[in-house]
Amino acid sequence: MTDSSEPLLFVEKRINTSFLTIAFAVSAAGGVTLLMLAWQQQRWQLPVPIGLLLLAWGMMMGGNLHRRRRLSPILRLEADRLRYIGAPAWAPRLHDVPYDDIAAIEKENRSIMRLRLASSGKACSIPIGLLPRSERQRFSEALRARCDRQTESAGYPASGH
């Protein structure tokens, strides 16, 4: 195990960004094709709204892909906090959760890890399904170790998250 002051960085599976790239290309090309077809045939009622919708969807996928690449790595275990990518598909951003704000790890499966926050009492979902399988276990163990270490350093016994 590495020193807790060293950040652990976790990157997204490459296939996820590949699918976003394909979705962007197909949506943009489909939208342009429908608009060109409508222009050539002078039929505007059906193809134009669908073409514009496809273009808008493609631009959203392109924006999501751009932001994800800029925000990579998507999960970060830093010295005092967890940072993860989240928010709606059209505007992903990094969220910060201090380790001392994590009251418990409620649920963990292949796609999410649900944390109970002490400050708000609400749960937040960490998208661990974006990680390769080998990295999910490593992330889970490192987060649990850092949460336990934070609780012990605050003078409380480890809660056995």
Side-chain angles (χ1 to χ4, degrees), residues 7 12 25 32-33 35 40 73-74 92-93 98 104 112 127 130 137 140 147 154:
E12 187 170 12
V32 169
T33 302
L35 292 176
Q40 286 175 346
I74 58 165
R93 65 179 186 274
I112 66 159
L130 297 173
Q137 185 65 29
S140 176
C147 287

Side-chain angles (χ1 to χ4, degrees), residues 98-146:
Y99 296 128
D100 57 354
D101 193 25
I102 299 173
I105 297 175
E106 288 185 340
K107 178 182 174 184
E108 182 178 353
N109 61 29
R110 295 182 323 170
S111 59
I112 66 159
M113 177 183 277
R114 186 167 297 138
L115 307 176
R116 175 69 52 193
L117 302 180
S119 63
S120 64
K122 294 183 179 179
C124 74
S125 297
I126 311 299
I128 62 173
L130 297 173
L131 298 175
R133 284 186 187 139
S134 60
E135 293 290 301
R136 288 181 206 154
Q137 185 65 29
R138 190 172 141 241
F139 172 79
S140 176
E141 290 170 359
L143 179 62
R144 290 174 192 280
R146 288 180 188 225

